[in-house]
Structure formats: structure tokens, C-alpha cells
Amino acid sequence: MDQFTIDHLIRLLRSAGGVADGVELNAGIVDEAYTDLGYDSLALLEMSAKIQQEFGVAIPDEDVTELKTPRQTIDYLNDRMSPI
Amino acid sequence: MSTGTVVTGLGIVAPGGFGAAEYWAFVLAGRSAIGPITRFDPSPYPTRLAGEVRGFVAEERVPGRIVVQTDQWTHLGLAATDLALADARLEPAAVPEYEMAVVTASSSGGTEFGQREIQSLWRRGPQFVGAYQSIAWFYAATTGQISIRHGMRGPCGVVCTEQAGGLDALAQARRLVRDGSRMVLTGGTDASLCPYGLTAQLASGRLSRSQDALRAYVPFDAQAGGYVPGEGGAILVVEDERAALARGARAYGTVAGYGATFDPAPETGREPGLRRAAELALADAGIGPDRIDVVFADAVGLPELDRQEAAAITAIFGPYGVPVTAPKTMSGRLYAGGAALDVAVALLSIRDGVIPPTIGILRQAEECELDLVRDRARPASVSTALVLARGYGGFNAAAVVTAPSL
């Protein structure tokens, strides 16, 4: 695997933070703010821990709060992940 | 100036029934919800029976974001809250947010959630402990989640006095109403049926080791051998009487009296505090024992503790002087949920004029000179009930609830 995709992110987001009522997680959320999707800082910290465990990329806590949308997270990770 | 404090909504999620109507029908039928533990494999443990809330699916009752953040005990509390608000026909959005308070009882906290995270810590390391452990385990989690979900920003708190907690929380709710809160969500739930939770409970030495579901928890019986643990409880909507009247609410009854005491150190040989708690509750209600129509007993199910409770009751009411019942024999002891559930059931007794039974007793212990309502519900005019509760570690609480004056 050499790219972190929206499908990876949705799977981790779902497992880390559940899904808010009235929200459907699909590729259309890529530019939605996490807060608009119902996720708080704990959910994003939980997701970043799962990303590190699975993909080996550590996201410092101060960066977690700067990544506001799925696209920003995906781009951040793909900049840092070495192709396998 | 406050008038009285009334209960206007009952939310019951307990072994045997989901919702007040279903649970009430269950206890009146005198059946048992105690059975083998199914939430995990109990075979390595000396206690293998419990009262479980069967058929409860958190995803059907609790928002998806909250399910992953909270323990089963909070799931049950949130579900019970929805039932209580619906029963009270109270829409939180219509009440000023700072006039709504939340005070629940908790006894174990989020042990099942905590066990999962402890296992992750030990097996895989600290970076594998979930972020939600920080908010899921601790005693105020249910109060906090109720407060957040329903926008209740008045005084919030949690009381941890084991099985006495349901009454102590109700008393705090009454104080808040007297101090100006428009409504308070109170009561409690518990859910500690996981290996870690059960192991912690076993340390008290009070759990039954019987494998016979119908005889495992038989308080006041000559062969009483401990109690069966359970999960669930009740959340109650409590309101200022005048405000409840003004919105046309129906009241189940009034929280008329409360007393709490702490036991003297065991080695002093002094009398335990339960009798004084009951007398304080009667005095607070401004009534004598003759006005009590039924006593809901704490009913631990161990001979010495049963004898002490019977002695407290007979000291006030005389031998066989008042009907006594322990419907918790059908569901197990629910810890923080137990006394709140007893209050709910006492209010239903008042409404319908019937005392639910204590089940499983074959031969009543001779030293327990109680008019125990056994096996079958007993029709009776019930306008005032006394609820007793003892929490492990020395807590005693008593509450008097009376028929609504409306």
C-alpha cells in the first residue's frame, strides 16, 4: 500500500469515534470539517493513535488539532508516508 | 419559595423489563430475571449468576458517537433518561438550560470499558489505550453525558455510596429543587458484569455462589447465602411541585422524607445506622411509623445483615408491624441502580395499590420478624412507602415517598 485514501480514513474514523446521527461517511465528506461531522478533539486523537498503530506515521498532538478536514489529514499522511 | 418535590417521570432499564410499564408487569408477576451470566464466560468464577438487561442493544438506544465513547453503564443511563423524559412528557428544549440539573448515583464506574483498555495497555502498550478511557470510566460520566445530550447546564454531580446511592442522589435532587432548579434528572444505573467488575465485587465476600437461579438470592430466608449482582437501574424526573402543576404534569408522588447515616466502626459493637436513617427520614417527612404502608427493604441476603435490617424495622414498627418487600430478589442488587429502582417501584405501588412480592423464600429466618410479602403481589392501599438502602462500607439511607397531593 502506498497511498492513504479516504476509505482508510473513513474506516479509522468510524472505529475511533463512531458515527453521529444524520451523518453518512462516504467520499463526499473529504472537504467537510470534522466538527461538522460531529467529531471532537478526543475522536481525532483516537484516530491519530490508530493511524500510527496501523500506518506507522506519528501525528504530533499539535498537528492533530490543525488538521480540520479529511483531505488535510490524507494529504498530511501521504506527504510523510514512504511508499512500501 | 419551593413547594414540594415531586417525581413526574420514571425511566426503568432493568433485568426483567425495559420501561416502567414492562418492568412493573414483570415484578407483579413475581418471576425471576436472574440467570447465568452471558456477557462473558463466568465459568472460572465462583459467582456465575446475575441479573442482566437482556436484549439491550446500545446502538438502537444511544447515538453512535456516544456508544463508542462510553461504558454500558452510561448506555443504560442514557436509555433510561430517554424513557424518563418521555414518561414525564417533558421536552428539555422548552426549559431554560440552567434550570435543569443532573445528579446520578454511580458505584462501579465504567469497568467494562476500563477492562478493555487495561487489556490493551498490558498486551500492546500505552499508545494502544483509547483516548475515551479518560472520560468513560469515571463516576460522573453518566451525569455528564446526560447533561451534554439534553443541554442541562444547571448543577450537576454524582454520588458514590454504593447501593445507598440512588436515595442519596434523590435527596441531592430535592435540595437542588429547593434551591431553584426547575427539574432534576436523578437516580442511577450500574453495569459491572465483566471479569474485572465481578472480581472487584467478589472481594466484598457478599456475593452468592449458588448456581440455583431461584434460590441464589433469598434475603431473610433461613438459608440466605449472599446476593446476586445485576445491571441497570432507574432514572427519575424530579420537579418542583408548583412548576410541575403549572405545565400540567402528572406526578407519581412526593419525595417527602430522607435520612442518611454512617455506620459506627464494626469493632465498637454499636448498633448500625439503618434504624436512625429510617427515623430521620420519618421525622423529615413529619410522620410517624403508623403512616407507612410498606417498607422496601435493602435485603442484602446475608444472615447477619438481614438480621440487622429486620431489627431496625421491628424497632420502629414492631414485630410483623408493617408489610415488607424486596422485589430486587427478581433482578439482583443493582448497586447505584438498586435504590433508584426501588423508589420507582414504590411509586408504582402507590399508584396501583399493590405491593410487589419478594420471591424465592422457602423458610423465613426466625429472627427476622417481618411481615414479608412473599411470592404473590398483595393488594393494599398504599399512600406512603419507606425505602431503605445500605451501601457497602457503612452507608445507610432511607427515603419516604407519598401519594401525590395533586
Side-chain angles (χ1 to χ4, degrees):
Chain A
M1 198 217 51
D2 54 7
Q3 283 287 302
F4 187 86
T5 68
I6 185 69
D7 291 338
H8 294 127
L9 184 126
I10 286 173
R11 175 168 56 77
L12 293 170
L13 201 51
R14 189 188 299 278
S15 120
V19 184
D21 290 348
V23 168
E24 198 169 322
L25 295 185
N26 54 42
I29 65 162
V30 70
D31 289 313
E32 301 262 354
Y34 287 121
T35 50
D36 293 341
L37 296 168
Y39 296 104
D40 56 18
S41 57
L42 277 183
L44 300 178
L45 283 173
E46 180 70 11
M47 182 176 70
S48 78
K50 288 178 184 292
I51 288 169
Q52 181 174 359
Q53 290 153 21
E54 192 167 328
F55 297 94
V57 181
I59 311 177
D61 288 355
E62 56 270 26
D63 286 358
V64 171
T65 53
E66 290 304 310
L67 300 171
K68 308 286 191 197
T69 67
R71 188 187 300 280
Q72 289 173 13
T73 305
I74 292 165
D75 291 348
Y76 181 97
L77 291 170
N78 286 329
D79 286 348
R80 284 162 181 78
M81 272 170 35
S82 47
I84 298 166
Chain B
M1 181 58 204
S2 173
T3 45
T5 300
V6 293
V7 179
T8 57
L10 306 179
I12 296 176
V13 178
F18 188 89
E22 191 177 300
Y23 187 74
W24 183 228
F26 160 76
V27 290
L28 288 182
R31 293 194 301 267
S32 177
I34 288 169
I37 292 172
T38 63
R39 291 187 65 82
F40 65 97
D41 174 14
S43 59
Y45 299 89
T47 292
R48 295 171 210 166
L49 298 175
E52 293 183 333
V53 179
R54 297 277 165 83
F56 179 81
V57 180
E59 287 75 8
E60 295 173 358
R61 302 283 174 183
V62 179
R65 286 278 292 112
I66 307 299
V67 170
V68 299
Q69 298 181 20
T70 56
D71 183 79
Q72 163 93 349
W73 136 77
T74 299
H75 300 163
L76 297 173
L78 286 165
T81 297
D82 286 350
L83 292 169
L85 288 170
D87 188 44
R89 299 186 190 90
L90 195 144
E91 177 49 59
V95 181
E97 57 187 358
Y98 286 100
E99 294 178 24
M100 296 185 287
V102 186
V103 181
T104 65
S106 179
S107 52
S108 300
T111 47
E112 190 177 50
F113 194 108
Q115 171 165 352
R116 282 199 304 270
E117 302 304 328
I118 291 169
Q119 285 176 317
S120 293
L121 174 68
W122 287 347
R123 286 179 182 163
R124 302 200 288 167
Q127 69 273 30
F128 289 87
V129 176
Y132 291 116
Q133 169 66 7
S134 62
I135 62 164
W137 76 270
F138 80 126
Y139 304 110
T142 299
T143 286
Q145 294 291 353
I146 292 171
S147 163
I148 292 166
R149 184 167 177 201
H150 297 290
M152 298 174 169
R153 308 183 75 169
C156 289
V158 62
V159 183
C160 303
T161 51
E162 217 248 7
Q163 180 91 13
L167 300 187
D168 294 330
L170 182 67
Q172 177 63 6
R174 188 176 65 156
R175 286 182 204 108
L176 293 174
V177 166
R178 287 172 170 172
D179 287 347
S181 287
R182 165 75 185 71
M183 62 83 65
V184 188
L185 277 171
T186 190
T189 53
D190 192 64
S192 201
L193 299 178
C194 59
Y196 163 36
L198 183 64
T199 302
Q201 294 170 54
L202 284 164
S204 73
R206 294 182 172 185
L207 267 57
S208 170
R209 298 181 174 212
S210 168
Q211 306 300 320
D212 178 354
L214 293 177
R215 287 284 293 161
Y217 176 32
V218 286
F220 308 114
D221 188 286
Q223 294 181 308
Y227 69 84
V228 170
E231 64 177 353
I235 297 290
L236 316 176
V237 176
V238 166
E239 297 183 65
D240 173 80
E241 183 171 24
R242 197 178 293 165
L245 262 175
R247 73 172 183 92
R250 160 213 56 187
Y252 285 97
T254 300
V255 183
Y258 164 76
T261 61
F262 197 76
D263 282 339
E267 64 271 18
T268 63
R270 289 163 54 202
E271 182 193 359
L274 186 63
R275 176 183 59 81
R276 285 184 298 123
E279 288 171 347
L280 287 168
L282 291 170
D284 183 39
I287 60 174
D290 57 303
R291 292 273 303 281
I292 297 295
D293 301 307
V294 60
V295 174
F296 284 78
D298 175 59
V300 170
L302 282 164
E304 177 58 16
L305 287 160
D306 289 350
R307 189 198 61 72
Q308 288 173 1
E309 182 169 29
I313 293 170
T314 53
I316 296 170
F317 298 96
Y320 308 98
V322 65
V324 175
T325 192
K328 56 172 71 77
T329 46
M330 296 175 238
S331 56
R333 282 173 78 81
L334 309 186
Y335 301 100
L341 182 60
D342 275 345
V343 169
V345 170
L347 290 165
L348 293 166
S349 279
I350 289 170
R351 184 190 70 183
D352 290 351
V354 57
I355 300 170
T358 307
I359 66 165
I361 314 300
L362 291 181
R363 190 163 65 81
Q364 197 169 322
E366 282 176 15
E367 64 272 27
C368 296
E369 298 177 308
L370 302 176
D371 172 16
L372 205 55
V373 177
R374 282 165 54 177
D375 302 325
R376 285 191 181 80
R378 182 190 295 180
S381 173
V382 182
S383 62
T384 306
L386 174 67
V387 180
L388 302 178
R390 287 175 292 186
Y392 181 74
F395 302 103
N396 303 285
V400 173
V401 291
T402 61
S405 53
L406 312 185

